[in-house]
Amino acid sequence: KMSPRVDSVITAALSHRWGLNHCFLSILKLQAINQKDKAMLKKLFIPTAATFLYCVLGQSDMGGAADLGGFIVICGLQTLAIGYLAYN
């Protein structure tokens, strides 16, 4: 079993990595929209939809301990927008 100190360092590193990935995906989405790159938008649709699904499933797993409603709405709208731009 890891010490609490080691565990907190690992948790912090992983959460920073998630934030960095989120930033890079957002930049890629903005660039693909600006350049009207449908191929890239189709690729970016997958992690966008997965994030939406992750939030929806996470909300039901929390059993009222937290509210992800705002994230669900934003991620859902983003999924619809990226899907529309990619496939229309």
Side-chain angles (χ1 to χ4, degrees), residues 7-58:
D7 190 39
S8 66
V9 168
I10 291 171
T11 301
L14 290 175
S15 68
H16 283 77
R17 183 176 297 152
W18 182 89
L20 188 60
N21 286 340
H22 174 76
C23 291
F24 281 122
L25 283 173
S26 296
I27 290 168
L28 287 172
K29 288 174 192 175
L30 290 170
Q31 186 176 12
I33 291 167
N34 188 40
Q35 295 177 357
K36 297 179 174 80
D37 186 347
K38 287 190 178 235
M40 179 60 78
L41 286 168
K42 287 177 182 175
K43 292 174 186 169
L44 290 168
F45 178 76
I46 295 167
T48 305
T51 302
F52 171 68
L53 184 61
Y54 179 79
C55 288
V56 169
L57 295 175

Side-chain angles (χ1 to χ4, degrees), residues 39-82:
M40 179 60 78
L41 286 168
K42 287 177 182 175
K43 292 174 186 169
L44 290 168
F45 178 76
I46 295 167
T48 305
T51 302
F52 171 68
L53 184 61
Y54 179 79
C55 288
V56 169
L57 295 175
Q59 177 68 37
S60 64
D61 287 345
M62 288 186 195
D67 182 19
L68 295 176
F71 289 107
I72 291 169
V73 170
I74 295 299
C75 291
L77 290 172
Q78 191 177 66
T79 301
L80 290 173
I82 296 291

Side-chain angles (χ1 to χ4, degrees), residues 1-7 10:
K1 181 157 173 116
M2 287 188 269
S3 73
R5 171 96 175 113
V6 171
D7 190 39
I10 291 171

